[in-house]
Amino acid sequence: MNYKTLADACQNLEETSSYLEKNKIIAKLLQETPGERLEMVVTLLLGRVFPAYVSQETGIGLQQLKKAVGQSTGYSKNKIEDLMEQLGDLGKVAEKLTKEKKQMTLADKTLKAKKVFQNLRKLPKITGEGSVDRKIKKISELLTAATPKEAKFIVRTVLGDLRIGVSEGRLRDAIAEAFDLSSEKVEHAYMLTTDYGKVAKAIAEKGEEGLKELDLTVGHPVNPMLAQRLETIDEILKRMNGRAAFEIKIDGIRIQPHKRENDIYLFTRRMEDYTHMFPDLEKSVRNSIKPRKAIVDGELVAINKETGKPMPFQEVLRRRRKYNIENLAEEIPVEIHLFDVLLSGNKTMIKEPYMERRKELEEIIKLGDRIKIVESKILEKTSEIQNFKSEAVHKGHEGLLAKNLKAAYRAGRREFSWLKLKAEVETLDLAVIGAFAGRGDRAGTYGSYLLAARDSETETLKTVTRVGSGFTDEELEHLTEKFGKLRVEEKPSNLDSEIEPDYWFKPQEVFEINYEEIQKSPNETHTSGYGLRFPRFVKIREDLDISSVDTVEDVAKLFEEQEKHQTSDN
């Protein structure tokens, strides 16, 4: 398959804003792609060369890419910088300079999609002395062989932003259209695999029967099910038809332990493999999970050695360091508190109701010093629920989670069959998309940050607030260093912002924010239509990625609830 075929489709996608038309373009491409190439093509359409659950970084940033463009076209750094100022997109710069390039290749070879895919997948493996120069050379080789249009999309793929408006949700619908299946069946297959490339290939090769062969795989993380929020016990009971399971909500890192014989894996909510960071847990997990293979779901929490109570969320994050792991393991002991099971032996459990999954979990887990099962009570009286919530808070936990007794495990979905009942004031998890330079005492740091919620229909990020309070001096310095590595020279294509910060960031990190009030905001101020009064930084959510941030719809619901309570109070 020629890379030109993919580049042409990407160009067509870039030029249309119609959801239905984009689906048709993707569906046509998938129909024309050989089955053995579908995994590659679907991954490339998302601007990646690895599936979302594979944590691999190319190690190539904007400056290194500029060098690769210069090497392949023969143009100077100054020329590239000047064009960046004009075009605001290195992909377009590569396209323009490739049209005008001084260096001519000896032979005009057709660039294959497989060659692009394989070369870019090799980048993380290039290490050691001179590795950056070797990576630049590898990209330059591709650009030298590329047409102008191909060069644009190769550069954008390395940057992880194709600017064509293709999200995983759109891929689901396009795959369904291409192979004449329901979106629900395609989505269910994705829940099992977390990989639309595998799903498309299975359908292309065996149709709907191919989907039936897909299942959960130990060592391959599953997108976790998420909870919605409601403010009161009465609202929760109404949503749950008067009766629900209430579990203690623990403030830790969402963790998904996998077991296959003696092999143990620990995956986070971001589908990152943290196994090597917690070697002290491997033996405990292996001994506590009875079946030969299983996938369970839980929370990883740090424990205060003196009091036995859970420690703040940030203490768990300290355990993620690459060095001094043994000393940290002694200083900050951790436990896993399990609350669900997805796979037990050869039984896939995600379609089973909560009660069946809970029963299975209790049967397959041998409790130990490091492995617990989250306490759960089936309750229907407001007074009993309030007492249980108070008990949970007294033990140092966040509050409760209410779970529908009949609900299946909906991987990767945030639904009203799981509901949060937290003890503290309401917070929002928002994507960090930009920053403003610090002034006065904050000079030399990012003094405040621009935050956004996710629009679930368009998959764009829309601004909600600017936050500059709640940070310690140490946090400001740490965050300035962290976000300095995420700076980009132009507004990313998936952002909808009328506010122009001093610096744009690649949307990757999440802040938890509390606030006094949600207010209506003109679109020319915040594109979500909402703003926050007196927002305050709580913490960086290093366990979340931007696919997990609160949506514009979440903010709208909280605003409606707020207005309802204010009206009743008056």
Side-chain angles (χ1 to χ4, degrees):
M1 180 181 179
N2 295 335
Y3 186 66
K4 179 180 182 299
T5 304
L6 183 62
D8 286 343
C10 288
Q11 185 66 43
N12 292 336
L13 288 164
E14 184 178 12
E15 291 172 355
T16 181
S17 58
S18 165
Y19 191 94
L20 294 177
E21 188 59 34
K22 283 182 183 286
N23 282 0
K24 288 179 182 178
I25 294 168
I26 300 169
K28 184 174 184 293
L29 176 65
L30 298 181
Q31 289 166 343
E32 295 174 351
T33 299
E36 69 273 12
R37 295 282 182 261
L38 272 171
E39 282 189 73
M40 173 186 73
V41 167
V42 168
T43 306
L44 286 170
L45 274 173
L46 289 167
R48 304 174 186 150
V49 289
F50 296 100
Y53 59 85
V54 177
S55 301
Q56 290 277 14
E57 295 290 337
T58 62
I60 289 290
L62 192 62
Q63 297 307 316
Q64 290 79 31
L65 260 181
K66 288 177 182 176
K67 289 183 180 179
V69 172
Q71 286 184 11
S72 67
T73 62
Y75 282 93
S76 68
K77 178 182 177 182
N78 288 341
K79 174 71 171 177
I80 293 170
E81 294 288 359
D82 288 344
L83 281 175
M84 275 295 293
E85 286 289 326
Q86 295 174 33
L87 301 176
D89 171 12
L90 188 57
K92 287 184 178 178
V93 172
E95 180 181 37
K96 181 175 177 60
L97 293 183
T98 302
K99 285 179 184 175
E100 305 168 356
K101 70 181 177 181
K102 300 172 183 175
Q103 294 175 189
M104 302 301 294
T105 54
L106 295 175
D108 187 17
K109 294 183 179 179
T110 301
L111 189 59
K112 296 293 184 181
K114 185 177 179 181
K115 175 73 172 176
V116 174
F117 190 66
Q118 290 179 337
N119 265 30
L120 297 185
R121 284 174 72 98
K122 289 174 183 176
L123 294 177
K125 298 177 182 177
I126 299 174
T127 58
E129 187 176 349
S131 60
V132 173
D133 288 337
R134 283 181 281 137
K135 288 181 181 185
I136 291 171
K137 183 180 178 183
K138 186 73 69 176
I139 298 168
S140 179
E141 288 172 358
L142 291 176
L143 296 176
T144 300
T147 65
K149 188 190 302 179
E150 291 170 344
K152 174 171 69 173
F153 290 111
I154 289 169
V155 166
R156 287 181 178 177
T157 299
V158 178
L159 291 172
D161 184 8
L162 283 183
R163 297 172 167 251
I164 59 176
V166 174
S167 64
E168 290 180 335
R170 193 184 298 281
L171 266 177
R172 174 200 62 211
D173 295 342
I175 291 170
E177 181 175 337
F179 301 107
D180 195 25
L181 286 173
S182 70
S183 293
E184 289 75 18
K185 288 179 179 177
V186 175
E187 184 176 40
H188 177 70
Y190 175 73
M191 289 179 187
L192 299 173
T193 62
T194 327
D195 189 340
Y196 275 119
K198 288 185 182 295
V199 173
K201 182 182 178 184
I203 300 170
E205 293 179 344
K206 296 185 180 180
E208 193 170 338
E209 288 300 311
L211 290 185
K212 295 177 183 177
E213 296 178 7
L214 297 176
D215 206 346
L216 300 176
T217 303
V218 173
H220 184 144
V222 182
N223 259 325
M225 184 171 175
L226 305 173
Q228 281 283 10
R229 67 181 88 218
L230 284 180
E231 288 197 8
T232 69
I233 292 173
D234 289 343
E235 289 170 327
I236 288 175
L237 287 175
K238 183 178 179 181
R239 178 71 70 165
M240 296 289 186
N241 297 316
R243 186 167 178 259
F246 287 84
E247 295 179 350
I248 289 178
K249 188 177 189 309
I250 296 169
D251 184 21
I253 290 179
R254 186 78 174 266
I255 206 78
Q256 190 180 99
H258 290 221
K259 175 185 176 182
R260 185 198 302 114
E261 301 290 353
N262 287 324
D263 294 332
I264 298 298
Y265 307 89
L266 300 174
F267 294 107
T268 69
R269 181 167 160 179
R270 294 173 73 156
M271 295 184 286
E272 297 170 315
D273 188 350
Y274 273 19
T275 312
H276 65 287
M277 298 180 190
F278 298 96
D280 47 319
L281 283 175
E282 289 187 51
K283 182 178 179 181
S284 297
V285 172
R286 189 180 296 113
N287 292 339
S288 288
I289 298 177
K290 297 176 186 177
R292 292 169 56 246
K293 66 175 183 177
I295 300 174
V296 289
D297 195 0
E299 200 84 6
L300 181 70
V301 61
I303 300 297
N304 186 307
K305 290 197 295 184
E306 295 181 3
T307 66
K309 287 190 173 184
M311 297 170 75
F313 169 85
Q314 287 86 345
E315 295 300 321
V316 187
L317 297 179
R318 288 180 59 201
R319 285 291 311 271
R320 302 176 315 143
R321 293 179 183 172
K322 296 180 181 178
Y323 310 105
N324 203 22
I325 291 176
E326 290 184 4
N327 288 343
L328 279 172
E330 176 63 27
E331 179 188 344
I332 309 171
V334 290
E335 300 174 352
I336 296 178
H337 292 243
L338 299 171
F339 51 72
D340 220 318
V341 55
L342 286 66
L343 179 71
S344 177
N346 292 321
K347 293 187 292 186
T348 299
M349 301 294 297
I350 62 173
K351 283 188 175 181
E352 300 298 325
Y354 168 84
M355 290 298 290
E356 290 299 318
R357 299 199 312 276
R358 178 75 190 195
K359 180 181 177 184
E360 182 75 14
L361 180 69
E362 292 176 354
E363 288 179 357
I364 68 168
I365 297 300
K366 178 184 176 183
L367 300 180
D369 291 341
R370 296 295 188 92
I371 309 299
K372 318 285 185 183
I373 292 180
V374 171
E375 187 176 357
S376 175
K377 295 182 181 181
I378 297 173
L379 301 172
E380 56 188 34
K381 293 182 179 179
T382 302
S383 59
E384 292 177 340
I385 298 166
Q386 186 60 56
N387 288 340
F388 189 29
K389 177 185 170 185
S390 299
E391 179 185 330
V393 173
H394 179 71
K395 290 178 179 178
H397 302 299
E398 280 193 311
L400 300 177
L401 268 179
K403 297 187 175 180
N404 187 308
L405 301 176
K406 298 180 180 179
Y409 189 101
R410 297 274 283 162
R413 299 295 294 271
R414 187 188 296 278
E415 297 194 343
F416 282 98
S417 51
W418 286 14
L419 295 170
K420 302 176 195 174
L421 181 62
K422 295 171 77 173
E424 69 277 5
V425 296
E426 193 58 72
T427 62
L428 286 168
D429 296 322
L430 299 171
V432 187
I433 62 171
F436 300 86
R439 305 282 189 268
D441 292 343
R442 292 188 174 185
T445 68
Y446 300 134
S448 60
Y449 292 83
L450 185 61
L451 309 180
R454 180 172 56 87
D455 186 317
S456 56
E457 290 187 8
T458 63
E459 294 295 333
T460 55
L461 293 168
K462 296 188 172 184
T463 61
V464 175
T465 194
R466 172 178 172 172
V467 64
S469 64
F471 303 99
T472 65
D473 291 342
E474 291 77 13
E475 284 171 334
L476 282 173
E477 290 181 12
H478 167 70
L479 293 172
T480 297
E481 180 182 354
K482 184 181 186 69
F483 282 99
K485 299 172 184 176
L486 297 178
R487 275 177 56 180
V488 292
E489 295 194 17
E490 66 277 350
K491 180 172 72 173
S493 60
N494 62 336
L495 302 189
D496 181 5
S497 174
E498 295 297 326
I499 297 172
E500 187 85 15
D502 295 324
Y503 310 99
W504 292 110
F505 300 138
K506 182 178 181 181
Q508 185 172 304
E509 300 296 335
V510 181
F511 280 177
E512 182 177 348
I513 301 294
N514 63 30
Y515 55 90
E516 183 176 291
E517 185 180 40
I518 299 174
Q519 300 174 320
K520 281 279 192 179
S521 174
N523 284 340
E524 60 267 22
T525 303
H526 284 301
T527 49
S528 66
Y530 297 93
L532 302 183
R533 187 166 183 259
F534 299 133
R536 186 176 179 82
F537 172 80
V538 177
K539 62 192 175 204
I540 187 167
R541 292 298 306 264
E542 297 196 40
D543 59 326
L544 304 185
D545 59 23
I546 62 166
S547 67
S548 301
V549 301
D550 285 305
T551 65
V552 175
E553 294 81 2
D554 291 329
V555 179
K557 286 173 188 172
L558 288 170
F559 176 76
E560 290 169 8
E561 290 295 326
Q562 169 191 288
E563 294 299 290
K564 188 192 307 179
H565 289 305
Q566 288 178 354
T567 302
S568 62
D569 290 343
N570 292 333

